Amino acid sequence: MAKIKNCGILMLGLAIFNSCEEKGEFGIATDDVAPVEFSTVDVPVGASMVLMDSIITSDISIALFGQLNNSPFGNPVSATGYIGLAANVLNQPDISDDAVLDSVQINFKIGYLIDTALANRALSLELYPIAEEFYDTTYINTNSLAIGDELLASGQFQIDAFDSVYVMDVTADWATEFFEGVRTDDSKFISQDEFEAFFPGFAIKANAVMDNNIYGIQTGSTFELAFYYSEPNADNTETLNKEFSMSASGMPNFYNVTVDRSGSSFESVVETSTEYETSLLGVHAGEGLVPKVDFSGLEEFSNNFPEVIVNLAEITIGPIEDFPDGEYPPFSLSFYMTDERNTRIPDRLTFRSIQEDGANPLSSSSPVRLFYDPDKKTYSGSITSFVKAYQSGVISRNDFFVYPSLMNSSLNGFTFSRDNLKLKIFYSEVN
């Protein structure tokens, strides 16, 4: 490994690196202090691609849906959201025989958007019935439910803000069936179990012909089916306007992701938890496509330089490849430990990972984070404490996943060349 020598000054225990044209030994201008040499070395980092198993997408307050047709990970990239509905049995009103249904609408909020058009945030939303039992359990990104053919609601929207409530009318026949069920105390509406057996919930899609975006619909209380009706008062002297609602509060929800990788750089990636050598590396949240990096090059560094002082170990990913307009890479990256099984290594309620500098390298509470610099199009960060622990023999694990932020609640991603994965170590030694 070639050394690049630099001159430095030690002051108050802080090493400051400055480039020098001369190579040599530099001390602190006293006869009793040994000269210190500062050097850098690039440690090779290997990488393969792994499609992770079991990305949990249930009960995360958002359900993704939509389609991308120009993704570097494959075409199309599709998502379908599933949301259960609570009948709100305890708060259903007593509705008189003279009541008239005025309208039924679905109120919802959008909390996430990959907008590939920038100037066109048009959403063509479609809701269909889930056609099988919707269990209240954990769902992952490869799960799906049977979907009925009946279009329950649809609408076109311009998505301008995440704090806006959007309103969609439902089909008249379906709305009337629900309203009459509540009014007549139909058995399907008098208990939540009976209601779920009758109506498990909504499957949420964007019209693939009109849209080239991925959206995230908020689940819980902000997603509701609202009924507006009128009926005469007790003495029949006036007509009163009334309403009641059913929401997704406390109900199961998740989203499914499918990717057709044909013709992409990741076409060979088929099985989960399996390593693949690909021409390009990439990170794709939601789908669970991540690089598995190999830090075994640190073993050679530790053997060759057992006594040196590691001043800084900086890892850099990028510059990353250009991505379609409107798409954004993950905000940050972490390194989760793995092994030949190609799964994350659990540690109680979390997972083993490279820890940030200064933290206990054997803990799991403070994962290091590499933040994205949009000007340089790179992720970078210090893993100095990890390299020191590796050098001293405290840590000997080499395999880690490059794990994106918002893995469970986004489809953000990026690709990069193998040459743009670098680990540079700045070290000093006393001659």
Side-chain angles (χ1 to χ4, degrees):
M1 293 182 285
K3 299 180 181 177
I4 303 173
K5 298 181 181 179
N6 301 284
C7 69
I9 300 174
L10 293 177
M11 180 177 294
L12 299 178
L14 181 66
I16 303 175
F17 294 97
N18 297 286
S19 64
C20 297
E21 294 184 2
E22 291 186 50
K23 296 181 180 180
E25 299 171 345
F26 299 88
I28 311 182
T30 62
D31 294 335
D32 60 345
V33 177
V36 177
E37 181 180 306
F38 294 90
S39 304
T40 65
V41 63
D42 292 316
V43 175
V45 180
S48 56
M49 291 301 302
V50 173
L51 181 61
M52 296 185 64
D53 191 15
S54 302
I55 302 300
I56 296 174
T57 61
S58 56
D59 300 326
I60 56 174
S61 77
I62 197 167
L64 304 186
F65 66 97
Q67 181 168 298
L68 297 176
N69 299 313
N70 56 351
S71 169
F73 302 102
N75 290 291
V77 175
S78 302
T80 301
Y82 301 88
I83 299 181
L85 189 68
N88 202 11
V89 173
L90 297 179
N91 293 310
Q92 287 181 10
D94 292 325
I95 304 173
S96 71
D97 293 339
D98 297 324
V100 176
L101 179 62
D102 298 319
S103 66
V104 180
Q105 64 189 39
I106 290 176
N107 303 321
F108 65 95
K109 288 184 176 182
I110 294 294
Y112 171 83
L113 171 66
I114 288 182
D115 176 14
T116 60
L118 286 183
N120 178 23
R121 293 187 164 188
L123 164 62
S124 178
L125 180 60
E126 299 177 345
L127 270 62
Y128 295 87
I130 295 172
E132 65 175 280
E133 189 169 357
F134 192 178
Y135 296 100
D136 188 2
T137 186
T138 298
Y139 292 89
I140 60 176
N141 57 349
T142 55
N143 290 143
S144 62
L145 297 174
I147 301 173
D149 295 329
E150 182 185 4
L151 180 63
L152 303 181
S154 62
Q156 284 74 44
F157 308 90
Q158 187 71 23
I159 306 302
D160 298 315
F162 289 163
D163 59 353
S164 298
V165 176
Y166 298 92
V167 177
M168 175 172 49
D169 291 331
V170 303
T171 58
D173 290 345
W174 185 73
T176 300
E177 180 183 13
F178 266 52
F179 181 75
E180 287 300 313
V182 174
R183 188 181 66 81
T184 61
D185 290 329
D186 188 302
S187 61
K188 296 188 292 288
F189 293 84
I190 61 175
S191 77
Q192 182 62 31
D193 289 342
E194 292 283 348
F195 179 73
E196 288 179 27
F198 162 65
F199 183 74
F202 296 99
I204 302 171
K205 298 183 175 183
N207 188 314
V209 176
M210 300 181 63
D211 292 320
N212 185 31
N213 301 320
I214 295 291
Y215 305 85
I217 195 166
Q218 294 185 19
T219 60
S221 60
T222 59
F223 182 92
E224 65 173 1
L225 178 66
F227 298 79
Y228 300 90
Y229 65 100
S230 56
E231 64 180 358
N233 61 358
D235 57 7
N236 229 5
T237 59
E238 60 179 318
T239 300
L240 304 177
N241 295 320
K242 296 184 177 182
E243 64 180 88
F244 71 96
S245 65
M246 302 175 180
S247 79
S249 180
M251 299 305 297
N253 61 82
F254 76 101
Y255 69 89
N256 160 270
V257 178
T258 60
V259 181
D260 182 356
R261 277 186 284 275
S262 302
S264 75
S265 298
F266 308 101
E267 184 174 23
S268 63
V269 181
V270 178
E271 302 292 335
T272 59
S273 304
T274 304
E275 291 185 57
Y276 292 89
E277 295 295 325
T278 57
S279 59
L280 202 63
L281 299 175
V283 174
H284 195 201
E287 183 191 3
L289 189 67
V290 296
K292 178 182 179 180
V293 296
D294 176 8
F295 286 121
S296 59
L298 286 172
E299 184 175 355
E300 182 179 354
F301 170 80
S302 301
N303 292 335
N304 291 340
F305 305 100
E307 303 297 330
V308 302
I309 300 171
V310 175
N311 304 113
L312 173 66
E314 183 179 52
I315 190 162
T316 303
I317 296 176
I320 65 176
E321 303 287 324
D322 291 334
F323 39 82
D325 289 340
E327 295 191 33
Y328 301 92
F331 178 69
S332 65
L333 305 172
S334 298
F335 292 91
Y336 282 93
M337 185 182 295
T338 185
D339 55 22
E340 68 280 355
R341 296 170 297 176
N342 294 310
T343 60
R344 287 183 294 172
I345 308 300
D347 185 3
R348 286 164 291 192
L349 297 178
T350 182
F351 297 92
R352 296 290 304 278
S353 63
I354 294 180
Q355 297 294 285
E356 63 185 15
D357 288 346
N360 181 350
L362 298 179
S363 71
S364 303
S365 58
S366 304
V368 68
R369 299 178 70 188
L370 275 58
F371 292 97
Y372 182 63
D373 183 336
D375 295 325
K376 297 180 179 180
K377 298 182 65 177
T378 61
Y379 292 87
S380 62
S382 170
I383 57 171
T384 306
S385 291
F386 168 75
V387 172
K388 287 182 176 180
Y390 194 106
Q391 182 190 30
S392 65
V394 174
I395 292 176
S396 59
R397 303 298 287 266
N398 295 317
D399 298 324
F400 293 85
F401 287 137
V402 179
Y403 202 84
S405 56
L406 301 179
M407 170 64 93
N408 304 79
S409 58
S410 80
L411 280 171
N412 294 12
F414 64 91
T415 58
F416 62 101
S417 166
R418 288 179 172 274
D419 295 334
N420 290 337
L421 173 59
K422 300 175 182 178
L423 174 59
K424 182 180 288 291
I425 297 179
F426 298 78
Y427 66 93
S428 57
E429 54 187 331
V430 177
N431 289 332

